[in-house]
Amino acid sequence: MITVDKGTEFESNVCQILYTTNPYSISHYDGGPDRGRDILLQYKIEKRVYDVIVECKCYAQSVNKENIMSSLDWAKVHRPALLYLWIKPYLTPSTKDYINLFCKEYGISVLFEEELNVDKYNEELGKEKSDILVNLKKRIIDSLNNSNHTNLLELEYDNQIISTDHYLADREWERTILMGNEYLAYYIQGVSACGKTQLAKNIAYVYKQNGENIFWHTIYDDESERQTSSFFFSLSHFFEIYYNNYKLKEYLENHGYYLSNELISILTHLLNRFRPIIIIDNVHKCSSENIILKNIFETIISNRISRIYFIGWFNIFPKTANIKNNLKILILEGLEEEYLDLIIIHHIGKSRKDIAALIKVQYNGLPGYAILVDNQTNQNNLESNDTFLHGFIERLESDEKMVLFILTYVSLPIEKKYFSKLNLLESLSQLVEKRLVENRGNSYHVHDKYKPFFKNYTLNNKDFQEIMDNLIIISETEIEIVLDIISIYSEHKLLQNAYVFLEESFPRLLHHQLIKRTLKLVQGIEEISTDNKYLIELCKMKIILLERLSQYDLCIQYLKIIEKDIDFCSLKWEKVYYVQLRCFYFRNLYDELLLSFSNNRKYIFEQMKENLRIQILLLIGRVYYIRGDLESSLIIYLLSYQLAVSNSTVLVVKAIHRIAMIECCKGLYLESKSTFLKLAELETLITSKRKSFAYYRIAKCCFALNELNESIEYLQKSLSIKESYNDKRGIMYSYKMLANVHFKKHEFVDALFYIREAQNIAKELGLTKEIVAVNLTLAKNILKYDINCEEVDIKKLLYDSLCIASKEKLLSRIDTIVRLSEGNYSDIHNESKKQYELTKQLLECSALKQRNIYSEYLSKHIKNLFERLHKNKAITSSLLMEAGIITTELKRIKINIEDLC
């Protein structure tokens, strides 16, 4: 389909219409090589700025799914608050259905306007007042209010803490210590409701009055990775807003937030330079496995980098000398009666010394109980937590009770906009006045101390279901609440409700990477479930979740349990089948993988979803590549490209990446390097992890071209990303390559260091083929450079490698052993030659059949490309242009004809 000539005119017209909605800003946005220039609108609602990406699609005929796929793929990666499509002439019905499914699955807002609407807006442009254009803005704003994606994150202190009640009764002694100069790090420790957060708020307020900048961060989530990402992205936003410094933000976008020397260096530099006051609330929730956050906090404490306050129930830090000498722990006790009464007076306007005395005795003087006292509180109320806290529930209106339990059942605070949507704002305000609910800016929650007792309160079925229905509405845009709903259903023994909601929400939970918490819920439901139907489906979910956690051996165990009763190659189970193949691949079970693929080829090619088919083909091609069969590998990669080019730009990029690897193997180093350089620039189409793979391949090409310093430069770039994602397998390959470079530079000490690091990782991960690759690198270089390395037994390395390579049919590795052993170890040389011929015959016999099968699916054009690369002529630059990936760059090259004359 060809775009009509008036695309630019249409875009200008759209800009004119949208200008009437009074956006915060309006500009053009370079959307990536496959999307051209779009319109970027920003709308400011209260203190938030929302990004709206507007795409103008102007065609001669109806617009189908294929015409908007690149836009939706981009939105999945960049997640704007709203993707707004303006279409001429109109979308096909099936495309509209697809957009609706896309929005539900990925939680991304997409609106569209068709030609009929555009014509109406144009008619209204000249009018002084237009209800239609007013409604256009309302439509946009309503969509943004339901979006959980904003350009600017809310800074917790600025938008939540600074505007709350900073009243404090006494604590003068504690405040003096916390404002002292002897320490830079403080831990405010104590049981829930002892006033830790209130004390810290007061300290922060004083610093703020003195012109200091406050970074306040509360740990809510239970999943360590989300705890870490939340902290770092909030901190990066803090540096951006207060200091106009984007260094941390740029690092996180390119590398992620796993611990690396570079991340620690950036953080240390920024904290030393700007010296903000850091306050970490709920630090006790930092999970025991969250090594990253704990190490960062310990680094700040030990090195006295910045003034930092921790608030928690118990001390999470080790009792090492560095921590003990640099961290002041302050344990809060309850307050005396006079101060408890001052709190009561502050809230209800009169003294209740009798109640203050009871709180001192009954609840150890915890100020959290004094805050709740109202005019109806009496001595009987204070007999126990149940009588005291449940007594409040009895006095609530039905809508107040609704709000209280919505907040009681969730693990995170809920924003005000949801209560507005549910017409519960007045009840929310009443609960804040009664101090049963705390608010911080636009977010509301029930104090941790009270929540368990409210949860124990027995609701009637009708009230309970209404509360759950409202939570389900909120969960449509707040994914964490999905997990809370499932937990509440399970706790109330409503197993079917829990299971049904889990099944419906599972794709969303996966997409938002809530892996560990979802797995915990699945495990919990599985343990109490007696219905076999549930057990099978729960097992399916566990397999998918475990694979996401790289628990391949456990996955294989579960798969073996159910594979006799399940047809994996069916519409319902094909995703699990792909997981099974990935597990085979990552556990080096190549024969099992190829056999399974061969047995199920008919289904894969004729019935499986296109995306899964392409991903499986890329996996199969990788096996042939590893075994040294470049011809079979190339055919499969080209077939993957052929299928992907009309389906998914991301998979096209993945296929071209693999084909460029074969170009490198064929000695086409300049061409391969050029392609990987281009792939590394595709910010919207590749993940940071894939960028690290591209940098590694560039380094390999540089090594072959004898550009050794450049090779080290790209290996360091690759390593930086791999370290940030804790990609140990990838780190091992980079170390191996660094060893090769240093051997070539005759820097043997460095080379041996890196090769030993690579050996250690390969052994730690139990990766046999990687152990072979590293050992052969060591043996090859010792023999080549005649290095005196007595601790290395070359003959044993070659023998052990031959055993593994023969068993796993790694033909290229066996060939390396043949060459290395020649003239050095005759027995190994003879055995390796024998194994080479046996393996070659075995692989060639099956590979020839496979190549013929795959070739049947190739188009004439793709077959020609195969012949070109088979004859050592590069093809990836052509593929990049053919797929439309580098056309934008070509268009940017402007020629001034007059200058040429």
Side-chain angles (χ1 to χ4, degrees):
M1 184 180 292
I2 298 178
T3 308
V4 299
D5 292 333
K6 294 186 179 179
T8 306
E9 182 182 327
F10 181 47
E11 179 181 301
S12 299
N13 181 214
V14 171
C15 274
Q16 192 178 5
I17 294 168
L18 289 171
Y19 189 75
T20 66
T21 64
N22 193 28
Y24 184 64
S25 71
I26 184 166
S27 61
H28 279 100
Y29 183 91
D30 288 324
D34 65 325
R35 296 172 53 252
R37 290 220 309 171
D38 309 319
I39 302 165
L40 168 63
L41 292 173
Q42 291 187 316
Y43 290 88
K44 191 169 185 178
I45 305 172
E46 295 180 351
K47 293 183 180 180
R48 292 187 174 194
V49 176
Y50 292 78
D51 280 353
V52 177
I53 297 296
V54 179
E55 285 213 42
C56 302
K57 302 282 187 182
C58 187
Y59 289 96
Q61 300 173 34
S62 60
V63 179
N64 59 31
K65 171 184 162 186
E66 285 68 33
N67 300 125
I68 64 166
M69 275 306 298
S70 62
S71 303
L72 298 180
D73 283 343
W74 178 89
K76 280 191 284 188
V77 176
H78 280 258
R79 304 185 68 77
L82 172 64
L83 177 64
Y84 204 0
L85 305 173
W86 286 64
I87 308 293
K88 272 195 176 184
Y90 54 84
L91 294 168
T92 63
S94 61
T95 305
K96 292 177 184 177
D97 291 340
Y98 182 81
I99 289 174
N100 287 333
L101 288 171
F102 175 90
C103 294
K104 287 178 182 176
E105 180 170 355
Y106 294 102
I108 294 172
S109 294
V110 180
L111 291 180
F112 55 84
E113 303 286 354
E114 295 171 295
E115 189 169 13
L116 280 173
N117 283 352
V118 177
D119 289 342
K120 284 181 184 176
Y121 297 143
N122 279 325
E123 291 170 9
E124 300 294 311
L125 280 176
K127 296 181 180 179
E128 190 173 331
K129 186 177 180 182
S130 167
D131 290 339
I132 289 176
L133 293 176
V134 168
N135 286 333
L136 171 61
K137 179 171 185 179
K138 185 176 184 301
R139 186 177 182 218
I140 296 170
I141 299 300
D142 286 347
S143 179
L144 295 175
N145 278 327
N146 290 326
S147 170
N148 56 354
H149 303 290
T150 60
N151 178 47
L152 298 177
L153 298 171
E154 282 194 321
L155 289 175
E156 190 170 344
Y157 184 76
D158 291 358
N159 294 295
Q160 296 185 28
I161 310 298
I162 198 170
S163 59
T164 60
D165 186 357
H166 288 74
Y167 175 77
L168 195 66
D170 194 37
R171 300 291 191 200
E172 183 181 348
W173 176 76
E174 289 91 341
R175 276 180 283 162
T176 301
I177 292 173
L178 294 172
M179 299 293 289
N181 294 318
E182 186 179 350
Y183 293 88
L184 287 182
Y186 296 86
Y187 202 119
I188 307 172
Q189 183 182 334
V191 298
S192 185
C194 71
K196 302 182 298 295
T197 300
Q198 194 67 24
L199 173 59
K201 278 161 54 178
N202 191 274
I203 296 296
Y205 181 77
V206 174
Y207 279 121
K208 189 71 174 177
Q209 295 299 104
N210 291 332
E212 303 284 356
N213 293 326
I214 314 295
F215 173 69
W216 186 302
H217 181 76
T218 304
I219 297 175
Y220 288 115
D221 204 288
D222 293 330
E223 203 156 328
S224 60
E225 287 194 2
R226 291 174 70 85
Q227 289 177 351
T228 307
S229 64
S230 176
F231 170 77
F232 277 114
F233 285 109
S234 295
L235 186 58
S236 71
H237 182 60
F238 171 78
F239 285 120
E240 177 187 346
I241 295 301
Y242 272 103
Y243 308 110
N244 199 29
N245 188 294
Y246 297 84
K247 196 170 182 113
L248 182 58
K249 180 183 178 181
E250 288 167 358
Y251 175 87
L252 296 172
E253 285 175 349
N254 290 317
H255 300 79
Y257 47 81
Y258 281 93
L259 207 57
S260 68
N261 291 331
E262 188 175 353
L263 176 56
I264 292 173
S265 174
I266 289 171
L267 196 55
T268 301
H269 167 74
L270 292 174
L271 293 176
N272 270 323
R273 179 180 172 188
F274 298 117
R275 312 296 286 186
I277 307 296
I278 302 172
I279 300 175
I280 309 296
D281 202 354
N282 277 356
V283 73
H284 60 277
K285 289 190 177 181
C286 187
S287 63
S288 57
E289 63 194 37
N290 195 342
I291 305 301
I292 298 171
L293 264 191
K294 286 184 177 177
N295 281 353
I296 288 293
F297 293 154
E298 287 173 30
T299 300
I300 293 171
I301 295 167
S302 301
N303 297 333
R304 299 176 67 87
I305 296 170
S306 186
R307 199 167 188 92
I308 188 166
Y309 294 88
F310 301 99
I311 308 168
W313 295 359
F314 49 85
N315 187 359
I316 67 166
F317 297 117
K319 294 180 180 178
T320 60
N322 272 343
I323 299 296
K324 286 175 74 174
N325 293 336
N326 293 294
L327 176 67
K328 175 65 176 178
I329 297 173
L330 188 68
I331 300 176
L332 291 196
E333 305 292 346
L335 293 173
E336 295 301 320
E337 294 172 27
E338 59 180 299
Y339 298 116
L340 293 170
D341 195 37
L342 284 176
I343 293 172
I344 295 170
I345 294 169
H346 174 73
H347 286 295
I348 67 171
K350 64 179 182 180
S351 172
R352 293 294 304 273
K353 290 183 180 177
D354 56 331
I355 299 299
L358 269 174
I359 292 171
K360 172 63 182 172
V361 174
Q362 188 75 18
Y363 298 110
N364 299 310
L366 295 181
Y369 287 89
I371 287 167
L372 288 180
V373 171
D374 63 16
N375 289 320
Q376 298 181 57
T377 304
N378 57 51
Q379 294 189 9
N380 293 332
N381 296 144
L382 292 171
E383 287 181 4
S384 70
N385 275 301
D386 283 348
T387 57
F388 185 42
L389 295 171
H390 288 187
F392 286 104
I393 299 172
E394 307 294 343
R395 302 199 293 268
L396 297 179
E397 300 292 334
S398 60
D399 278 359
E400 291 175 342
K401 193 183 294 186
M402 172 76 71
V403 172
L404 181 68
F405 280 92
I406 285 174
L407 291 169
T408 294
Y409 286 157
V410 296
S411 53
L412 301 175
I414 296 181
E415 290 186 49
K416 184 178 183 178
K417 63 181 180 182
Y418 294 109
F419 297 102
S420 176
K421 187 176 180 180
L422 297 170
N423 294 317
L424 294 170
L425 273 182
E426 189 176 341
S427 299
L428 179 66
S429 299
Q430 290 296 322
L431 289 175
V432 173
E433 281 186 24
K434 294 171 181 175
R435 297 170 302 284
L436 294 175
V437 165
E438 293 184 326
N439 80 297
R440 292 186 179 181
N442 287 320
S443 296
Y444 296 79
H445 70 285
V446 173
H447 196 288
D448 286 345
K449 183 70 177 179
Y450 319 139
K451 190 176 285 192
F453 301 101
F454 291 150
K455 260 190 178 183
N456 288 337
Y457 184 84
T458 304
L459 290 164
N460 64 54
N461 291 336
K462 180 176 176 293
D463 287 348
F464 176 78
Q465 195 52 57
E466 284 182 5
I467 290 161
M468 298 306 288
D469 289 343
N470 282 328
L471 281 174
I472 289 169
I473 291 170
I474 299 171
S475 75
E476 289 171 4
T477 47
E478 296 292 338
I479 185 64
E480 288 86 355
I481 292 176
V482 169
L483 296 166
D484 295 322
I485 291 168
I486 297 165
S487 294
I488 292 298
Y489 277 139
S490 296
E491 288 169 15
H492 284 73
K493 312 300 181 191
L494 297 168
L495 192 59
Q496 183 175 358
N497 299 63
Y499 171 76
V500 169
F501 196 67
L502 171 62
E503 188 177 41
E504 289 173 357
S505 308
F506 191 68
R508 284 183 66 207
L509 294 169
L510 282 180
H511 176 72
H512 288 277
Q513 297 296 311
L514 289 163
I515 309 300
K516 290 180 183 176
R517 286 178 63 190
T518 306
L519 181 59
K520 186 177 178 181
L521 280 176
V522 170
Q523 182 87 15
I525 296 173
E526 186 183 57
E527 287 171 1
I528 59 176
S529 178
T530 55
D531 190 316
N532 283 336
K533 175 195 168 187
Y534 290 167
L535 289 173
I536 290 289
E537 290 296 322
L538 290 166
C539 185
K540 174 182 174 181
M541 292 179 196
K542 282 181 80 172
I543 289 165
I544 293 169
L545 292 164
L546 287 167
E547 191 270 335
R548 293 287 181 99
L549 293 169
S550 301
Q551 297 294 321
Y552 304 117
D553 290 330
L554 263 176
C555 273
I556 290 172
Q557 287 179 41
Y558 275 105
L559 287 159
K560 283 181 178 177
I561 292 170
I562 64 172
E563 65 182 348
K564 292 178 183 177
D565 304 313
I566 299 296
D567 180 8
F568 288 153
C569 277
S570 59
L571 182 62
K572 192 175 180 181
W573 286 85
E574 58 184 28
K575 286 185 180 177
V576 173
Y577 177 64
Y578 174 55
V579 168
Q580 183 184 47
L581 295 185
R582 279 178 59 83
C583 291
F584 285 156
Y585 173 78
F586 284 109
R587 298 316 299 159
N588 297 345
L589 301 170
Y590 302 134
D591 288 333
E592 288 90 333
L593 193 160
L594 294 175
L595 178 62
S596 177
F597 179 79
S598 179
N599 290 339
N600 295 290
R601 188 187 298 111
K602 181 176 173 63
Y603 176 86
I604 292 168
F605 277 98
E606 294 179 8
Q607 298 180 60
M608 184 172 279
K609 290 187 189 75
E610 191 82 295
N611 270 24
L612 277 180
R613 182 186 305 142
I614 296 165
Q615 290 182 77
I616 288 174
L617 284 171
L618 289 168
L619 201 61
I620 299 298
R622 186 78 169 135
V623 173
Y624 285 111
Y625 175 87
I626 287 167
R627 285 184 162 176
D629 184 356
L630 297 184
E631 191 173 344
S632 297
S633 182
L634 177 57
I635 288 173
I636 296 168
Y637 288 158
L638 280 166
L639 176 57
S640 303
Y641 168 83
Q642 177 182 305
L643 296 173
V645 81
S646 60
N647 183 278
S648 166
T649 311
V650 172
L651 290 176
V652 166
V653 168
K654 197 171 181 180
I656 293 174
H657 181 112
R658 299 285 173 80
I659 295 164
M661 286 163 56
I662 293 179
E663 285 181 338
C664 183
C665 291
K666 287 181 169 288
L668 301 166
Y669 303 121
L670 281 171
E671 294 86 348
S672 180
K673 177 185 174 184
S674 175
T675 296
F676 284 120
L677 282 166
K678 176 52 61 183
L679 294 178
E681 294 171 3
L682 301 178
E683 299 291 345
T684 62
L685 294 176
I686 65 168
T687 61
S688 295
K689 209 166 187 178
R690 182 151 298 282
K691 184 187 284 188
S692 75
F693 300 160
Y695 285 150
Y696 171 74
R697 294 292 166 183
I698 294 166
K700 286 197 78 171
C701 294
C702 291
F703 175 79
L705 294 165
N706 215 35
E707 300 166 350
L708 300 185
N709 289 335
E710 195 175 349
S711 180
I712 290 174
E713 179 188 336
Y714 278 103
L715 282 169
Q716 293 297 351
K717 284 184 176 182
S718 177
L719 261 174
S720 178
I721 298 174
K722 288 170 178 175
E723 286 176 349
S724 72
Y725 282 95
N726 199 29
D727 177 16
K728 288 189 176 180
R729 192 186 189 116
I731 291 169
M732 180 213 63
Y733 279 114
S734 292
Y735 283 160
K736 178 170 73 76
M737 192 66 223
L738 274 168
N740 270 322
V741 176
H742 286 293
F743 274 125
K744 202 169 187 178
K745 293 181 77 173
H746 290 77
E747 296 168 351
F748 300 136
V749 173
D750 288 337
L752 290 170
F753 167 79
Y754 283 117
I755 204 72
R756 286 179 184 126
E757 289 294 300
Q759 281 179 321
N760 292 337
I761 295 174
K763 287 174 185 174
E764 176 194 342
L765 299 178
L767 303 171
T768 51
K769 74 177 179 62
E770 283 76 10
I771 290 171
V772 170
V774 175
N775 285 348
L776 292 182
T777 297
L778 177 59
K780 177 182 71 176
N781 284 291
I782 286 177
L783 292 170
K784 181 177 181 178
Y785 297 107
D786 194 22
I787 299 169
N788 182 14
C789 196
E790 295 178 0
E791 69 269 26
V792 178
D793 186 340
I794 301 291
K795 185 174 182 179
K796 186 174 186 310
L797 279 182
L798 294 176
Y799 177 76
D800 291 345
S801 297
L802 179 60
C803 292
I804 296 169
S806 301
K807 180 183 175 184
E808 298 192 3
K809 304 182 184 65
L810 306 176
L811 190 65
S812 61
R813 301 302 183 198
I814 301 173
D815 182 46
T816 302
I817 296 167
V818 171
R819 288 186 283 105
L820 292 177
S821 59
E822 186 175 10
N824 295 304
Y825 309 101
S826 56
D827 52 342
I828 295 178
H829 180 67
N830 293 332
E831 181 61 24
S832 60
K833 281 178 65 179
K834 176 183 169 185
Q835 289 298 328
Y836 181 83
E837 291 303 322
L838 287 171
T839 304
K840 185 179 179 183
Q841 289 172 21
L842 187 64
L843 291 178
E844 190 61 36
C845 180
S846 64
L848 189 58
K849 293 179 186 176
Q850 301 298 324
R851 287 200 289 268
N852 290 335
I853 291 167
Y854 299 126
S855 294
E856 290 178 10
Y857 293 96
L858 297 180
S859 67
K860 185 177 179 181
H861 170 59
I862 297 296
K863 284 180 180 177
N864 290 336
L865 288 170
F866 171 80
E867 290 301 324
R868 278 186 62 189
L869 186 49
H870 196 50
K871 293 174 183 176
N872 291 347
K873 293 181 180 178
I875 64 172
T876 50
S877 292
S878 299
L879 295 178
L880 285 167
M881 283 191 284
E882 183 177 282
I885 291 170
I886 63 171
T887 53
T888 302
E889 183 178 296
L890 293 174
K891 287 177 182 177
R892 285 185 186 140
I893 301 173
K894 303 292 183 185
I895 298 175
N896 191 325
I897 305 298
E898 292 179 3
D899 289 346
L900 296 176
C901 295

